[in-house]
Amino acid sequence: MKDRLVTLIGGGGFVGRYVAQALLKAGARVRIAQRDPRAAFFLKPQGGLGQTQFVAADVRRPESLARAVAGSDAVVNLVGVFGSAMQAVNAEGAGNAARAASAAGAGAFVQISAIGADEGSPSAYGRSKGMGERLVREAFADATVLRPSLVFGQEDAFTNRFAGIAAMAPVVPVLNGGTRIQPVFVADVAAAVVKALGAPGGQTLELGGPQVLSFTAFNRWIVETIGCDKPVVELPDVAGAALASLGFLPGAPLTWDQWLMLQQDNVASGDGLAALGIVPTPLGAVAPAWLVQYRRHGRFGRKVAA
């Protein structure tokens, strides 16, 4: 990767910042392309002088992408959203990014998708991600598609969300308790992107961590880790659906579309990390370091009864 110019579309986001750091460490030149590049200026100190560039771009505006990827050796599209813009961003935007990379003569393109991406999915998110994969393939035949399971890391909206609920609620409600998940560490996903840029293209790899947990087991692990000893209660589907329907409200555990996605297991098919030579990081090896903030009295607190 040394001295190659890699454009990260959405490079200042949760996963993107880790990809940027991994590429900078590998000696690549990194161009961060996103709607507000100033929001990614915190990445400047991670590289050497002139190693990091910033440019304004929007996946919904092809002309902005053409400028952003000009001269790139490789392009990575990390953009993904929930909500009303899913079709425009996750699907059409991914196709726009791949077309821009192809037109610019980039040698590699990596699309960050998700396990469950399928144009036949019951969830709008799954459908939009599935369509995005198809549009990417049509525009850039040798693109590599990476489908991570639920991604965890210090800045995530996954472990932090459920730890926050467990810390505040009298009981911990669990939706889709039997659904299996395979959480994957964000730094491992970043390493997979770097490896994929140097590997043969055209692959679709699903990325999961070393543990497969039911959603109930995951919540019990959260409760134990933050030491709150609260009961973990599996909600029946009717109650779970009702709670998920309020997902637009602040503090809701899941949106309705996430509820639909979790009607099926979020477990990797095959071992994409192993295929790229990456040893996955267990949840328990790193997450307690940031989840300590949810313990009563922080790292100095004792395990207490609810």
Side-chain angles (χ1 to χ4, degrees):
M1 299 305 302
K2 189 165 180 60
D3 295 327
R4 293 178 68 192
L5 176 59
V6 182
T7 295
L8 303 181
I9 303 173
F14 168 48
V15 176
R17 67 187 64 189
Y18 285 86
V19 176
Q21 291 173 57
L23 286 168
L24 290 169
K25 186 176 180 180
R29 292 178 294 132
V30 176
R31 181 183 292 159
I32 307 296
Q34 57 188 54
R35 284 188 298 168
D36 181 6
R38 294 171 298 181
F41 281 179
F42 65 89
L43 289 167
K44 276 186 177 182
Q46 301 295 324
L49 184 64
Q51 194 179 1
T52 312
Q53 307 170 14
F54 301 87
V55 61
D58 187 332
V59 293
R60 295 169 295 187
R61 297 175 53 209
E63 68 281 3
S64 73
L65 289 173
R67 293 191 298 269
V69 304
S72 298
D73 295 300
V75 177
V76 181
N77 181 38
L78 296 130
V79 179
V81 299
F82 280 95
S84 60
M86 287 187 287
Q87 178 67 21
V89 172
N90 300 346
E92 296 164 14
N96 290 339
R99 281 189 290 273
S102 179
F109 185 90
V110 173
Q111 167 71 11
I112 303 300
S113 187
I115 289 178
D118 185 344
E119 290 190 77
S121 171
S123 82
Y125 181 80
R127 291 194 300 274
S128 67
K129 280 294 191 179
M131 181 177 291
E133 290 185 9
R134 175 172 59 80
L135 295 176
V136 163
R137 290 272 187 233
E138 290 174 356
F140 203 113
D142 289 334
T144 296
V145 174
L146 299 180
R147 295 175 173 175
S149 182
L150 300 173
V151 182
F152 65 90
Q154 185 168 350
E155 307 88 348
D156 70 32
F158 172 47
T159 62
N160 285 295
R161 172 179 292 184
F162 289 100
I165 292 171
M168 297 296 294
V171 298
V172 180
V174 179
L175 295 81
N176 302 91
T179 299
R180 298 184 306 150
I181 59 175
Q182 193 176 1
V184 60
F185 186 37
V186 64
D188 293 340
V189 176
V193 172
V194 177
K195 292 273 192 177
L197 288 172
Q203 303 182 82
T204 296
L205 299 173
E206 298 197 341
L207 311 179
Q211 301 153 287
V212 175
L213 303 167
S214 70
F215 219 56
T216 295
F218 166 73
N219 276 274
R220 285 179 177 149
W221 181 86
I222 288 285
V223 166
E224 180 180 351
T225 299
I226 67 172
C228 64
D229 281 342
K230 294 179 180 178
V232 175
V233 179
E234 289 191 12
L235 298 180
D237 284 349
V238 172
L243 187 57
S245 69
L246 301 175
F248 60 90
L249 296 176
L254 293 173
T255 66
W256 177 253
D257 213 62
Q258 289 169 329
W259 157 262
L260 292 176
M261 285 286 286
L262 286 175
Q263 296 302 304
Q264 57 185 7
D265 290 342
N266 197 275
V267 175
S269 172
D271 194 339
L273 290 180
L276 294 169
I278 298 167
V279 178
T281 304
L283 185 65
V286 290
W290 65 81
L291 294 180
V292 68
Q293 65 185 299
Y294 299 100
R295 293 181 68 96
R296 190 176 298 180
H297 308 304
R299 67 181 65 254
F300 301 106
R302 293 181 176 180
K303 195 171 182 181
V304 295

